[in-house]
Amino acid sequence: MCGIVGYISNHCVKSDLIKGLKKLEYRGYDSVGIALFDVNQNIKVLKNSGQIKDFISKYKNDTSDGHLGIGHTRWATHGVPSDNNSHPIFDQNETIALVHNGIIENYLDIKKELIDEGFKFKTDTDTECISNLISYYKNKNKDTLRSIKLTFQKIKGHAVVAIISKEDPGKIFGFKKGLAGSLRIGLSSNKISIASDLETIKSTSEKYISIDNKEIFVATLEDVLVISKDKKIEKEWISIDEKSETISKNNFDFFIEKEIHEQPEVFLSNFQNRVNFSSKEIDFSKELKGLNLDEIKRINLFGMGTSYYACLLASYWLEQISKIPTQCHNASEFTYRNPLVEENTLAISVSQSGETADTLSAANLIKEMKIPQIAITNTNNSELEKVTKNCINIGAKTEIGVASTKTFTATLEIFLLFAMYLAQKRNPGYPKTKIFQELKSMPSQIERILDNTKHIVDLAKLYSKYDNFLFLGRGYNYPVAMEAALKLKELSYVHAEGYPAGEMKHGPISLIDSKMPVFCIITEGSHRDKMISNIREVKSRNGKVIVLTNCSEKLDKSWYDDIIIFEKTEDLLSPFLSSVSIQIFAVNLALARNLDIDKPRNLAKSVTVE
Ligand code: M6R
């Protein structure tokens, strides 16, 4: 949610800022802007609503540049996406410009106080109270750093901020307060690079530090001063050994299509160092060094959105395979309900970004309760990992498409392997041989779906004129139905609801008519006959039934309108195949509606505000 970037160099940095913003666009894309210290030592701000491509075209003839600058790609919280509300945001005298990620919860109070002091506000943002507050303090004490410290103390809420000041050439100031995503500062011999993620600074930095909660920094080309509780602190510089990932669409039109097709490869790579197919053993001990799992009596899972649905499915696996009672929590609800967590519970917090504010809040609460905790993420050294200490990386590599696809199936795979790992001690009698056999062939089974998408694409086109969908499933297929509905909503702006099929008769059935296609996921092992009753009930009410199944031979053609068939497998592995089929359906339905499937409206890949 909002991307921040900044550079100090002995060369001009405008092109670096634009490159950085392109990399960070996944964090928000409703407006964009940069502030440069130009050759005349003035702060020049260029900004507009819309995406970076619109910014580039608007400023194609602009020649301003400078050796220091900050930039921002926005996901609006306060104030509509407009040129005026885009960051960087000036103070009233236009001597301080800043970019902000997060929400200032007491901004109305601060705004009122400053208006009473004669300050003028020009935007609808909460951010402007930060720039004007710094300005207010600076009018009194003439010291930029001191004014930033006072501002830091006064604001309530969550903020990651980068600031430049006309009277402080050569410096980028900033701070982090609360949960507002990451901020990394990279160093090389001729450049300071600042960004919301590591990937963005990799190509211009040799080593980096992370700015943590309650830290204020001052970066110059020579040095980075970090202050916490009014004292200078020494941060550990981490060397950047990995090369930055080459990110391209390959031959696909959209990143999300490429990412869907990467799933077999990701699935296979996650076996490495974890799965021994000869001895039929799973090993997470190296990743979870120092965590004693022997005393664990319960597992609690936390996540939001797709990560929550991955947890929901994992709760079935953990109970059935490893025989450990497991509860799944929507992280945002858990945090604020004064939860009770028993001793000997293991908490697992899931977030592909490792930055989701709701999940971080829950993880922090769990930490306060001194409950052992594991993060499952797709990001190294993430904010979540800092809280949980123990982390399993899902190895999906960068996912640009805002709607999760490969990170969903990779998270599921990690959960399944983890359930099997726990079962080695807790439930050695689980059907190991069969599961290992099917697991091995899963990448090829997924690949076969991806090689034969025509039928699903045709169906997606056919159903693209409908505005409402229901997705029903039982057992393992219920979380799949929930995730399917989310995918359709996010990508195609179609109203879609997922339900456990048993719930249908308790209300949703009244929605069924010929304008409401009902997607029913029916697999051999997950209560097939009960699902058959459900589809018959839908059909009897003139509903349109699309069946997604691996047991078509058990279904009479008169019971459904359309069918998508995937290969048979152990029932607990079937969600991988049904989920990939649904991803293809959702993406192609959105394409038939002419939508930008990489950047759905109103969304951001990293949700760093609560
Ligand atoms: O980064 P996280 O996994 O914590 O993100 C959680 C949700 O915001 C995320 O899954 C969201 O629902 C996606 N847009 C799903 O496609």
Side-chain angles (χ1 to χ4, degrees):
M1 218 140 263
C2 301
I4 289 177
V5 69
Y7 292 97
I8 312 173
S9 170
N10 39 27
H11 295 104
C12 285
V13 298
K14 190 184 191 180
S15 63
D16 286 321
L17 287 168
I18 292 172
K19 262 189 234 153
L21 287 171
K22 278 187 187 157
K23 286 195 175 162
L24 291 168
E25 206 173 11
Y26 69 90
R27 302 176 76 92
Y29 34 84
D30 58 43
S31 45
V32 61
I34 62 172
L36 287 160
F37 234 106
D38 70 12
V39 281
N40 305 316
Q41 303 291 291
N42 286 321
I43 298 179
K44 172 107 189 238
V45 168
L46 310 175
K47 59 185 190 175
N48 68 290
S49 59
Q51 298 183 8
I52 294 176
K53 59 178 176 5
D54 309 311
F55 175 89
I56 293 171
S57 117
K58 176 172 173 184
Y59 290 109
K60 62 177 183 293
N61 298 323
D62 180 274
T63 54
S64 52
D65 215 330
H67 290 189
L68 181 149
I70 53 176
H72 188 260
T73 173
R74 180 171 185 243
W75 183 89
T77 61
H78 294 62
V80 295
S82 65
D83 291 0
N84 195 41
N85 289 334
S86 308
H87 298 207
I89 301 280
F90 267 131
D91 70 317
Q92 68 164 6
N93 304 320
E94 305 202 343
T95 56
I96 287 161
L98 58 86
V99 290
H100 165 219
N101 182 12
I103 290 177
I104 308 301
E105 288 166 4
N106 57 342
Y107 87 102
L108 285 173
D109 297 341
I110 295 174
K111 192 168 175 175
K112 184 172 177 312
E113 285 172 30
L114 290 172
I115 288 172
D116 290 346
E117 292 286 337
F119 271 76
K120 300 259 175 313
F121 280 75
K122 297 172 191 156
T123 74
D124 308 315
T125 64
D126 54 340
T127 305
E128 199 174 5
C129 80
I130 314 178
S131 50
N132 272 336
L133 200 54
I134 299 172
S135 183
Y136 165 76
Y137 287 126
K138 208 169 159 200
N139 290 344
K140 297 188 171 233
N141 65 31
K142 312 290 174 220
D143 180 335
T144 308
L145 182 56
R146 180 152 171 64
S147 304
I148 289 172
K149 285 181 189 169
L150 290 167
T151 301
F152 174 89
Q153 283 160 14
K154 172 101 177 164
I155 58 172
K156 292 192 183 133
H158 306 278
V160 168
V161 181
I163 307 152
I164 59 175
S165 151
K166 189 167 158 44
E167 286 172 15
D168 299 86
K171 291 182 183 168
I172 298 181
F173 302 85
F175 60 79
K176 173 165 174 171
K177 183 163 190 167
L179 307 171
S182 318
L183 196 70
R184 320 277 182 166
I185 304 184
L187 189 68
S188 71
S189 55
N190 62 358
K191 198 172 273 175
I192 286 283
S193 311
I194 299 173
S196 300
D197 70 15
L198 183 58
E199 199 53 44
T200 304
I201 60 168
K202 263 188 193 165
S203 58
T204 52
S205 312
E206 284 148 19
K207 52 186 182 175
Y208 77 97
I209 52 171
S210 290
I211 298 300
D212 290 318
N213 189 14
K214 300 186 187 152
E215 290 178 354
I216 298 174
F217 70 87
V218 188
T220 60
L221 194 49
E222 293 76 37
D223 192 19
V224 182
L225 167 71
V226 182
I227 300 159
S228 176
K229 296 190 186 135
D230 233 9
K231 285 203 184 76
K232 177 180 176 200
I233 56 165
E234 294 304 327
K235 303 277 295 185
E236 190 192 342
W237 287 89
I238 302 169
S239 68
I240 301 179
D241 303 324
E242 326 146 37
K243 288 230 160 20
S244 55
E245 218 180 301
T246 318
I247 295 170
S248 76
K249 292 181 192 156
N250 291 346
N251 291 326
F252 295 93
D253 293 331
F254 291 93
F255 281 107
I256 192 171
E257 294 178 300
K258 184 195 76 157
E259 286 154 5
I260 288 173
H261 280 80
E262 280 169 349
Q263 289 175 107
E265 189 187 319
V266 173
F267 206 102
L268 200 61
S269 69
N270 271 329
F271 290 157
Q272 219 179 348
N273 301 326
R274 293 183 180 122
V275 186
N276 185 332
F277 283 101
S278 328
S279 64
K280 298 193 180 49
E281 270 169 10
I282 308 281
D283 189 13
F284 277 99
S285 62
K286 286 180 216 79
E287 287 160 275
L288 300 176
K289 269 191 234 115
L291 190 68
N292 180 3
L293 298 170
D294 293 344
E295 305 296 315
I296 297 304
K297 294 210 167 70
R298 276 164 296 278
I299 299 179
N300 278 6
L301 308 176
F302 304 91
M304 298 299 292
T306 293
S307 292
Y308 172 76
Y309 296 134
C311 290
L312 196 57
L313 181 48
S315 68
Y316 286 68
W317 286 336
L318 285 160
E319 291 205 333
Q320 281 161 37
I321 303 172
S322 51
K323 298 286 176 211
I324 303 180
T326 304
Q327 237 184 317
C328 177
H329 302 275
N330 174 294
S332 68
E333 281 304 309
F334 176 83
T335 309
Y336 298 106
R337 67 161 210 237
N338 299 320
L340 300 176
V341 181
E342 288 166 292
E343 270 180 28
N344 299 322
T345 296
L346 170 70
I348 306 182
S349 297
V350 179
S351 169
Q352 59 78 28
S353 63
E355 277 196 295
T356 296
D358 296 300
T359 311
L360 275 168
S361 293
N364 273 311
L365 190 59
I366 286 290
K367 186 179 171 186
E368 281 167 27
M369 295 172 177
K370 302 199 176 359
I371 301 288
Q373 189 169 191
I374 301 173
I376 297 186
T377 79
N378 196 32
T379 310
N380 285 327
N381 302 323
S382 66
E383 297 298 305
L384 189 59
E385 184 176 350
K386 283 186 204 161
V387 179
T388 63
K389 305 295 178 220
N390 307 291
C391 183
I392 304 176
N393 192 298
I394 61 170
K397 304 236 175 81
T398 303
E399 187 177 69
I400 299 282
V402 166
S404 304
T405 52
K406 63 174 177 173
T407 54
F408 176 60
T409 48
T411 304
L412 290 183
E413 181 188 5
I414 292 299
F415 263 131
L416 178 66
L417 297 180
F418 188 65
M420 292 161 73
Y421 176 62
L422 294 176
Q424 282 164 191
K425 281 193 179 164
R426 307 294 184 113
N427 180 28
Y430 81 100
K432 202 190 231 181
T433 309
K434 273 179 136 186
I435 297 177
F436 268 89
Q437 217 168 26
E438 297 285 349
L439 192 62
K440 201 171 187 175
S441 62
M442 197 44 60
S444 326
Q445 285 185 289
I446 297 175
E447 200 150 75
R448 283 195 286 276
I449 296 179
L450 295 169
D451 288 344
N452 294 290
T453 56
K454 188 175 178 315
H455 173 61
I456 304 181
V457 174
D458 288 346
L459 277 187
K461 286 182 188 152
L462 186 71
Y463 281 92
S464 64
K465 59 178 189 294
Y466 290 90
D467 291 321
N468 297 287
F469 281 80
L470 274 186
F471 287 84
L472 303 178
R474 287 172 184 263
Y476 304 125
N477 299 327
Y478 155 50
V480 175
M482 300 303 289
E483 169 61 9
L486 178 64
K487 266 324 60 106
L488 206 62
K489 274 181 233 185
E490 284 185 295
L491 290 168
S492 55
Y493 320 148
V494 159
H495 172 237
E497 298 295 338
Y499 277 100
E503 182 71 21
M504 188 183 64
K505 284 197 275 295
H506 302 277
I509 199 163
S510 63
L511 295 171
I512 288 169
D513 63 16
S514 61
K515 294 193 203 97
M516 167 75 91
V518 183
F519 226 102
C520 299
I521 310 166
I522 309 182
T523 54
E524 190 65 47
S526 285
H527 322 287
R528 188 197 64 213
D529 293 339
K530 289 197 190 304
M531 277 306 295
I532 289 177
S533 307
N534 289 133
I535 59 173
R536 308 229 47 206
E537 286 154 10
V538 174
K539 208 74 201 111
S540 324
R541 283 159 185 83
N542 211 14
K544 273 214 163 331
V545 174
I546 310 164
V547 165
L548 174 59
T549 187
N550 62 2
C551 51
S552 56
E553 71 287 354
K554 304 278 170 31
L555 309 176
D556 189 284
K557 286 198 172 70
S558 67
W559 299 344
Y560 54 81
D561 295 276
D562 286 292
I563 188 162
I564 299 171
I565 300 171
F566 59 92
E567 289 178 32
K568 283 196 194 305
T569 178
E570 268 298 287
D571 204 49
L572 55 81
L573 289 163
S574 70
F576 293 106
L577 303 179
S578 49
S579 297
V580 172
S581 308
I582 288 171
Q583 290 167 359
I584 298 164
F585 182 81
V587 156
N588 284 284
L589 194 137
L591 282 177
R593 291 180 155 228
N594 241 332
L595 297 170
D596 181 347
I597 53 174
D598 278 342
K599 295 197 192 85
R601 71 180 178 204
N602 303 338
L603 296 178
K605 185 86 189 153
S606 218
V607 185
T608 54
V609 293
E610 283 188 334

